[in-house]
Amino acid sequence: MTDLDYLDHAEAALKAIEMACDRINDETEADIDNQRTGGMITLTFANRSQIVINLQKPLQEIWMAARAGGFHYKLINGQWTDTKDASELFARLSRHASEQAGQALVFSAAP
């Protein structure tokens, strides 16, 4: 994959996360504060816990840090896939965001 292809896919993933936060804030009481700085998004929950998602351009990866730990994702067959256990970025983000928010939240690649 070229660097331009990586950036296109990675930026689309970050945009999907931002849009999901807007939808979640409109539809639930979760009140997620999402701040974007360049290739990094910080999600801050009501209990002040955070999830940080950032681009790792030299490695062509997306990294996520949550209370449960750090995770690295590569684009494989159109999905951001964990480099250790092959879980999908949006599924894991949904799980950890739900845990940190104290309610079920769903993030997805599609708006």
Side-chain angles (χ1 to χ4, degrees), residues 24-76:
I24 287 166
N25 285 336
D26 288 345
E27 297 174 359
T28 74
E29 300 297 318
D31 192 28
I32 302 170
D33 179 36
N34 63 309
Q35 297 291 320
R36 172 126 183 221
T37 305
M40 180 175 73
I41 297 175
T42 302
L43 309 180
T44 304
F45 299 88
N47 62 6
R48 297 185 194 212
S49 68
Q50 295 183 330
I51 294 177
V52 178
I53 300 109
N54 66 313
L55 304 185
Q56 294 296 316
K57 294 175 189 175
L59 300 173
Q60 293 190 345
E61 293 182 352
I62 295 177
W63 289 5
M64 178 174 69
R67 269 200 249 174
F71 309 94
H72 300 184
Y73 299 88
K74 277 203 165 293
L75 190 64
I76 299 172

Side-chain angles (χ1 to χ4, degrees), residues 58-99:
L59 300 173
Q60 293 190 345
E61 293 182 352
I62 295 177
W63 289 5
M64 178 174 69
R67 269 200 249 174
F71 309 94
H72 300 184
Y73 299 88
K74 277 203 165 293
L75 190 64
I76 299 172
N77 297 325
Q79 288 193 347
W80 291 100
T81 305
D82 188 285
T83 59
K84 290 184 182 174
D85 70 6
S87 63
E88 193 270 334
L89 169 66
F90 290 93
R92 182 166 278 152
L93 176 57
S94 296
R95 185 174 84 202
H96 294 305
S98 296
E99 290 170 1

Side-chain angles (χ1 to χ4, degrees), residues 1-14:
M1 171 170 37
T2 69
D3 287 342
L4 187 56
D5 289 336
Y6 160 76
L7 284 175
D8 286 345
H9 289 289
E11 287 294 331
L14 294 183

